[in-house]
Amino acid sequence: MVSPELIFNGSISGFVGVLLGVVISLIVNCTLVEISISGFFAAYFGILFIIVGGIILWRIFSQESTEGLPPGSSKRQPLAAFGILIIVSGVICFTLEQQWYRGTSPVLKVPLYMVLGTSVAFALTFSVVDLVNYVLGFLQVSVAKPFVESASQVHMVLGAALAMGALFGFIFGVLDVEDEVSYQIRLALLREERYCYPVGAILGGAVGFTNEYIRDAEEKCGGRIPSGYDDDI
């Protein structure tokens, strides 16, 4: 049975998730625009993605050797896959010159922007998770469980970041925002955000409430559910 406390905490978490989903939607789409129209930002994000992806893979493999886990342990495979995806996104940034793809069929452009959108959403989402965990830990007097810690919570956030980024990239590519001339890009971006804001709000709210539900269920289990993801996040 759902307790009143869970409903209250879940509602607050869901509301915060809605706000964060909308903000992430705006940032992801603005980032895709800058990567498409600016060679400087394309190179900047390309280098950044390759470095971040490399750090993620290095941390995963170094922890596997330290903890004596077999190579390709299923516990870390999702994060390793995202690390590779981020590196691929960095390579795409270096090839994503506006002139190369102007007028190209969406069949080619949409998958590229879906990969880029997923990487940007992943980086933003886990940056927000780290920030929230830090702020909550700083404000709480006693030692408390982080906002996102367990394997179930991490998998849920990974899935939400994948869905959110892929949908944003899909909408961005289908609407051909990157093909608009400079003075029309703002209008095209506003038109796209009419579709992306609801997606970000719905996914963000669902993640916020579900995360609180998982957190409450694991606290009731007395911490018997192993996490194993603290260092990965």
Side-chain angles (χ1 to χ4, degrees):
M1 182 177 178
V2 180
S3 64
E5 181 181 2
L6 175 59
I7 295 176
F8 177 75
N9 293 336
S11 299
I12 294 177
S13 298
F15 177 73
V16 174
V18 168
L19 296 180
L20 292 177
V22 172
V23 171
I24 290 175
S25 167
L26 177 62
I27 295 177
V28 169
N29 285 288
C30 289
T31 302
L32 292 178
V33 170
E34 292 298 335
I35 291 175
S36 300
I37 66 176
S38 171
F40 170 78
F41 278 102
Y44 171 78
F45 280 103
I47 295 173
L48 182 64
F49 283 150
I50 292 176
I51 292 176
V52 170
I55 291 175
I56 291 175
L57 293 178
W58 173 75
R59 290 186 61 183
I60 291 173
F61 292 128
S62 63
Q63 287 173 0
E64 283 183 349
S65 60
T66 301
E67 299 174 7
L69 295 174
S73 174
S74 60
K75 187 174 66 172
R76 308 197 190 279
Q77 283 181 354
L79 289 175
F82 268 89
I84 295 173
L85 182 66
I86 292 176
I87 293 178
V88 172
S89 298
V91 176
I92 292 176
C93 286
F94 288 108
T95 65
L96 199 64
E97 294 292 341
Q98 185 181 10
Q99 292 80 8
W100 291 10
Y101 298 99
R102 180 179 295 276
T104 305
S105 170
V107 174
L108 176 61
K109 290 189 295 185
V110 168
L112 297 179
Y113 283 109
M114 289 178 67
V115 172
L116 287 174
T118 300
S119 297
V120 177
F122 172 83
L124 281 174
T125 300
F126 275 87
S127 296
V128 170
V129 167
D130 281 339
L131 179 61
V132 171
N133 282 341
Y134 175 79
V135 172
L136 290 180
F138 180 78
L139 295 178
Q140 292 170 342
V141 178
S142 59
V143 178
K145 186 177 181 180
F147 186 68
V148 176
E149 178 191 43
S150 70
S152 299
Q153 290 173 306
V154 172
H155 286 153
M156 179 196 60
V157 174
L158 281 172
L162 174 62
M164 191 178 294
L167 285 172
F168 293 160
F170 177 81
I171 296 172
F172 186 90
V174 169
L175 294 182
D176 278 339
V177 177
E178 75 284 356
D179 280 351
E180 300 289 347
V181 294
S182 58
Y183 62 88
Q184 291 180 339
I185 285 182
R186 179 176 174 80
L187 296 177
L189 184 60
L190 292 174
R191 183 179 70 247
E192 183 206 6
E193 286 296 345
R194 289 187 302 177
Y195 301 99
C196 292
Y197 281 153
V199 173
I202 292 173
L203 287 177
V207 168
F209 184 85
T210 306
N211 180 76
E212 189 62 33
Y213 179 83
I214 296 174
R215 190 167 182 262
D216 180 76
E218 293 179 351
E219 287 179 350
K220 290 180 178 178
C221 290
R224 290 194 300 267
I225 301 177
S227 62
Y229 275 86
D230 303 20
D231 295 334
D232 294 348
I233 299 177

